[in-house]
């Protein structure tokens, strides 16, 4: 997501000169962009022209904004965002010509330093910081090799395993309830059994983690109980949720536990990893949940650490917010323009001559990619609105919000908060009553009844402003202990948010819990699948009260009712992906607080993360 001039205002570099000074002063470049570009030019010991200096700074800016490269033929689009007559923007052709002979790309008299990589994609020239070009190259090459062959799977044995796991002789029959939902899970399981790499995409409620559990069961039946499984996710909280979901299914080999990708690879304090190309991971199957949050750097390290005969299963929702670091790997892999060899075993076991997949989808299936159908976690109304958001149809979203028949979706102005206040007080009352009564499971159920989600942390429309407002609302109710924004003021019914990983106590950044009465004291309780984890508040080193939370932090969570607070339309955090993520946190009902202008801005603004993973890329200079 590009930064606006307001975001980099005040980051003026006094020592900057020439083109870097002009673009820094106009707000196009931040101090970091200028300093890195100037340093690269200095180290090259060559005369670096304006076109290359600006391109280098834009490459740094791209990574800072979440992309892995600059699409040079879209520089004109960037120029239009910064209408400044004083700026002289070079043409794409001029930048490519200058870069093609630049020491920063091809090396020079100062040595082999080549910090930039110039490449060509189907859509035009791309400029990378070479580190990210190499990471992308690793991912592309390894996944291409993995999709070129198939595991040796016996059709009879696979059919028998599928019957046992799915409890149906003809699971593709036309009489199944939730036919499409069920069929896609069945097909995804067969695809994972017959592919070295499987990308399983789907929104909330499509049964992704439940399908993962079925896949592992089938693979265990095919390979024996000695199957070595590595379960991981980008964050500790996501790993804990994956562990709970698979364990609830009841099929997980003893000693198997989900960890972060960092822990799976054996991260060391010096930033290196125990596992890599010279020390492969020992697993037969590696599952990565919430892959949308995995940055390019960690994906490249992960795939480079796999044995060629390890099945890799990547799971996630490509429409959600991407990693906070550079890359949108899951979305790129789902949209990747490649195809693998025929998959006759999949065709025989999963398709059975039925028309469940279009010809276009079958081509994608050959590449190991499948999208699950919408399930039943949230109703059709929320799903319809989420689909309209993904389609970029703001008029349709506003139409749904104004339609009385769509009573699960409402939109109110920032001044019309009576309904929100009623929801918050109802939530707080149930939370308080359950917690005071010592009902840990009931209090955790109440905790997930409602949540206020904001785009920003600060400001009136952010988490801080809404937290103060909610505390003031709760304070007006008789019989309530004074709510507080201070974690040290423990009281029964206080909602909590963990803000740092604590492996010792097995709680993770993003976990939410609640304080409940316990004998003569209080305890903090957290949900772990079907179980409740209990800690004394003194064991919580990093936890704060949570009356509202950011949409980004809510990823992976579900609440019965969600209130989405939209910031003013000028906020660049306001994107289609952000709104989709917020809407799909709700199971039953969504209220959007904001203006129609803000909603249109959200639906119309996509996170543009440039990369070359979606197609073939050729390098201009030698590797």
């Amino acid at each position: 997501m590009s930064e606006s001039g307001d975001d980099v205002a005040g980051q003026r570099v006094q020592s900057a000169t020439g083109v870097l000074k002009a673009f820094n002063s106009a707000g196009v470049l931040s101090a970091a962009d200028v300093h890195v570009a100037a340093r690269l030019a200095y180290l090259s010991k060559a005369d670096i022209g304006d076109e290359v200096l600006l391109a280098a700074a834009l490459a740094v800016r791209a990574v800072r904004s979440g992309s892995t490269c600059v699409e040079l033929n879209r520089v004109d689009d960037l120029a239009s965002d910064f209408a400044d007559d004083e700026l002289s923007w070079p043409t794409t052709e001029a930048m490519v010509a200058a870069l093609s002979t630049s020491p920063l790309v091809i090396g020079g008299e100062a040595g082999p330093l080549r910090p930039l990589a110039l490449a060509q994609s189907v859509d035009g020239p791309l400029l990378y910081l070479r580190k990210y070009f190499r990471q992308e190259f690793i991912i592309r090459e390894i996944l291409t090799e993995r999709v070129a062959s198939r595991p040796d799977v016996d059709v009879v044995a696979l059919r028998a395993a599928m019957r046992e796991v799915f409890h149906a002789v003809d699971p593709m029959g036309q009489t199944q309830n939730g036919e499409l939902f069920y069929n896609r899970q069945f097909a995804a399981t067969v695809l994972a059994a017959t592919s070295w790499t499987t990308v399983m995409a789907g929104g909330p409620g499509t049964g992704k983690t439940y399908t993962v559990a079925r896949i592992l069961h089938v693979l265990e039946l095919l390979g024996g109980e000695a199957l070595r499984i590595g379960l991981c996710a980008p964050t500790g909280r996501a790993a804990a949720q994956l562990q709970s979901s698979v364990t609830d299914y009841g099929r997980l080999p003893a000693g198997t536990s989900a960890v972060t990708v960092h822990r799976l690879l054996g991260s060391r304090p010096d930033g290196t990893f125990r596992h890599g190309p010279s020390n492969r991971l020992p697993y037969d199957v590696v599952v990565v949940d919430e892959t949308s949050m995995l940055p390019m750097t960690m994906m490249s390290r992960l795939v480079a650490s796999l044995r060629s005969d390890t099945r890799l299963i990547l799971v996630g929702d490509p429409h959600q917010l991407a990693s906070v670091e550079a890359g949108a790997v899951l979305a790129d892999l789902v949209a990747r323009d490649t195809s693998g060899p025929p998959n006759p075993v999949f065709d025989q076991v999963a398709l059975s001559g039925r028309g469940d997949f279009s010809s276009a989808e079958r081509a994608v299936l050959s590449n190991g990619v499948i999208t699950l159908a919408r399930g039943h976690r949230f109703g059709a109304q929320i799903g319809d609105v989420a689909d309209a958001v993904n389609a970029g149809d703001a008029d349709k979203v506003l139409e749904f919000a104004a339609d009385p028949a769509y009573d699960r979706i409402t939109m109110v102005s920032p001044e019309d908060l009576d309904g929100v206040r009623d929801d918050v007080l109802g939530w707080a009352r149930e939370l308080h009553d359950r917690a005071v009564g010592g009902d840990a499971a009931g209090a955790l159920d109440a905790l997930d009844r409602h949540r206020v989600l904001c785009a920003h942390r600060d400001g009136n429309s952010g988490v801080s402003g809404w937290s103060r407002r909610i505390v003031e609302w709760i304070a007006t109710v008789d019989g309530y202990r004074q709510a507080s924004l201070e974690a040290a003021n423990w009281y029964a019914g206080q909602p909590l948010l963990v803000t740092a990983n604590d492996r010792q106590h097995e709680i993770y950044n993003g976990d939410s819990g609640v304080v409940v009465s316990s004998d003569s004291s209080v305890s903090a309780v957290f949900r772990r699948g079907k179980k409740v984890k209990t800690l004394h508040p003194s064991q919580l080193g990093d936890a704060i009260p949570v009356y509202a939370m950011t949409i980004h932090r809510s990823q992976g969570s579900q609440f019965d009712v969600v209130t989405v607070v939209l910031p003013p339309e000028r906020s660049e955090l306001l994107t289609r992906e952000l709104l989709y993520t917020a809407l799909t946190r709700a199971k039953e009902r969504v209220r959007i607080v904001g203006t129609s202008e803000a909603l249109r801005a959200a639906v119309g603004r996509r996170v543009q993360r440039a990369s070359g993973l979606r197609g073939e890329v050729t390098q201009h200079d030698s590797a």
Side-chain angles (χ1 to χ4, degrees):
M1 178 168 45
S2 300
E3 294 193 17
S4 68
D6 290 340
D7 294 325
V8 297
Q11 298 184 11
R12 301 294 178 253
V13 182
Q14 298 301 320
S15 60
T17 60
V19 67
L20 295 181
K21 179 178 181 179
F23 279 77
N24 175 233
S25 298
V28 180
L29 302 176
S30 74
D33 308 331
V34 172
H35 284 308
V36 174
R39 184 64 176 170
L40 294 179
Y42 171 78
L43 292 175
S44 73
K45 301 186 184 302
D47 183 17
I48 305 299
D50 285 353
E51 293 91 348
V52 175
L53 272 176
L54 178 59
L58 291 177
V60 180
R61 182 186 190 274
V63 171
R64 183 170 52 79
S65 304
S67 296
T68 57
C69 61
V70 179
E71 295 175 305
L72 293 177
N73 61 357
R74 296 191 63 185
V75 170
D76 288 346
D77 295 340
L78 183 60
S80 65
D81 292 337
F82 295 90
D84 190 327
D85 294 337
E86 300 299 320
L87 294 180
S88 178
W89 290 84
T91 64
T92 299
E93 294 74 18
M95 294 180 81
V96 170
L99 286 163
S100 298
T101 59
S102 171
L104 297 185
V105 175
I106 64 176
E109 295 181 1
L113 174 70
R114 295 182 297 156
L116 302 180
L118 182 63
Q120 182 69 35
S121 72
V122 174
D123 296 322
L126 307 175
L127 180 67
Y128 295 79
L129 295 178
R130 191 169 294 274
K131 166 186 174 180
Y132 294 97
F133 178 81
R134 287 173 176 162
Q135 291 174 358
E136 193 177 280
F137 178 82
I138 288 170
I139 295 172
R140 186 187 303 107
E141 289 298 298
I142 291 176
L143 292 185
T144 298
E145 290 174 4
R146 291 175 62 83
V147 81
S149 64
R150 305 249 176 234
D152 185 13
V153 179
D154 181 77
V155 173
V156 175
L158 179 56
R159 280 178 170 155
M162 295 299 294
R163 281 196 298 269
E164 178 173 338
V165 172
F166 280 78
H167 308 293
V169 174
D170 181 18
M172 299 302 287
Q174 300 299 304
T175 60
Q176 296 286 346
N177 291 327
E179 176 191 329
L180 182 59
F181 177 66
Y182 187 87
N183 289 358
R184 291 294 172 115
Q185 289 188 346
F186 184 93
T189 304
V190 178
L191 187 64
T194 57
S195 306
W196 292 122
T197 302
T198 303
V199 179
M200 185 165 62
T206 53
K208 296 188 296 294
T209 51
Y210 185 58
T211 305
V212 165
R214 288 175 160 184
I215 289 170
L216 297 179
H217 189 177
V218 167
L219 293 178
E220 185 180 355
L221 292 173
L222 293 175
E225 295 184 359
L227 190 73
R228 292 166 296 182
I229 300 171
L231 300 177
C232 64
T235 67
R237 175 168 167 267
Q241 290 178 325
L242 173 62
Q243 174 84 24
S244 298
S245 298
V246 177
T247 302
D248 287 347
Y249 178 75
R251 296 291 306 192
L252 198 60
T256 302
S257 61
V259 296
T260 63
V261 178
H262 278 79
R263 286 193 67 188
L264 188 81
L265 294 176
S267 62
R268 299 186 178 107
D270 63 356
T272 61
F273 292 83
R274 184 169 68 253
H275 293 289
S278 60
N279 182 24
R280 309 280 181 164
L281 289 165
Y283 304 110
D284 302 305
V285 184
V286 170
V287 177
V288 185
D289 198 15
E290 297 289 357
T291 309
S292 63
M293 294 191 288
L294 194 65
M296 177 77 69
T297 298
M298 288 309 300
M299 176 63 83
S300 66
R301 286 176 175 152
L302 175 65
V303 297
S305 72
L306 297 174
R307 302 194 322 254
S308 60
D309 61 347
T310 296
R311 284 180 173 87
L312 174 63
I313 302 170
L314 304 172
V315 185
D317 185 349
H319 299 298
Q320 281 192 177
L321 290 165
S323 163
V324 295
E325 300 177 46
V329 177
L330 182 66
D332 286 343
L333 295 183
V334 169
R336 199 168 178 221
D337 186 20
T338 59
S339 61
N343 191 345
V345 177
F346 176 83
D347 293 345
Q348 292 178 59
V349 178
L351 297 184
S352 303
R354 305 199 187 276
D356 300 294
F357 296 96
S358 66
S359 57
E361 285 180 310
R362 294 197 186 200
V364 173
L365 285 168
S366 70
N367 199 34
V369 178
I370 186 168
T371 300
L372 300 185
R374 184 191 300 164
H376 307 290
R377 184 178 296 178
F378 53 71
Q381 293 185 10
I382 297 175
D384 288 345
V385 175
D387 290 345
V389 169
N390 278 336
D393 192 342
D395 289 337
K396 197 68 175 177
V397 176
L398 289 168
E399 180 184 324
F400 284 140
D403 187 347
Y406 272 68
D407 55 352
R408 293 176 180 266
I409 304 290
T410 56
M411 185 170 180
V412 299
S413 75
E415 289 75 36
D416 183 14
L417 300 179
D418 289 346
V420 181
R421 186 177 187 276
D422 291 343
D423 279 348
V424 166
L425 291 181
W427 165 76
R429 185 175 294 107
E430 182 184 4
L431 191 61
H432 172 270
D433 293 346
R434 296 279 190 175
V436 168
D439 181 2
L444 288 168
D445 288 341
L447 181 67
D448 291 339
R449 295 273 191 262
H450 180 262
R451 189 61 52 88
V452 173
L453 303 180
C454 307
H456 292 271
R457 287 192 298 269
D458 303 316
N460 290 333
S461 62
V463 171
S464 60
W466 270 85
S467 294
R468 288 192 298 270
R469 177 182 283 114
I470 291 171
V471 166
E472 291 171 0
W473 286 345
I474 294 174
T476 65
V477 179
D478 292 337
Y480 278 71
R481 177 171 173 175
Q482 182 69 41
S484 173
L485 293 175
E486 300 296 327
N489 186 24
W490 304 110
Y491 68 92
Q494 185 177 35
L496 298 175
L497 178 69
V498 176
T499 57
N501 292 334
D502 184 348
R503 294 180 185 174
Q504 179 183 355
H505 295 111
E506 297 181 332
I507 57 173
Y508 303 97
N509 187 5
D511 276 343
S512 57
V514 62
V515 179
V516 300
S517 294
S518 177
D519 297 326
S520 59
S521 183
V522 293
S523 298
V525 295
F526 300 86
R527 194 179 298 285
R528 284 289 177 267
K530 297 179 180 178
K531 299 179 180 179
V532 173
K533 183 173 185 62
T534 303
L535 296 172
H536 189 273
S538 64
Q539 296 174 294
L540 300 175
D542 296 279
I544 59 174
V546 56
Y547 300 100
M549 67 193 306
T550 62
I551 297 169
H552 201 285
R553 195 182 280 273
S554 74
Q555 289 189 100
S557 299
Q558 288 282 297
F559 311 100
D560 293 345
V561 178
V562 164
T563 295
V564 182
V565 181
L566 300 182
E569 64 269 20
R570 65 180 179 274
S571 169
E572 287 204 0
L573 286 180
L574 198 56
T575 65
R576 187 179 305 177
E577 290 81 0
L578 187 90
L579 181 56
Y580 169 85
T581 301
L583 292 172
T584 54
R585 298 312 92 201
K587 298 179 185 177
E588 298 176 2
R589 184 163 53 87
V590 175
R591 178 187 287 106
I592 302 171
V593 177
T595 64
S596 58
E597 292 79 11
L599 188 141
R600 287 186 182 279
V603 176
R605 184 184 294 127
R606 297 198 65 180
V607 174
Q608 298 291 340
R609 292 200 168 188
S611 84
L613 267 185
R614 299 193 177 201
E616 294 301 317
V617 171
T618 56
Q619 193 174 0
H620 277 223
D621 57 312
S622 59

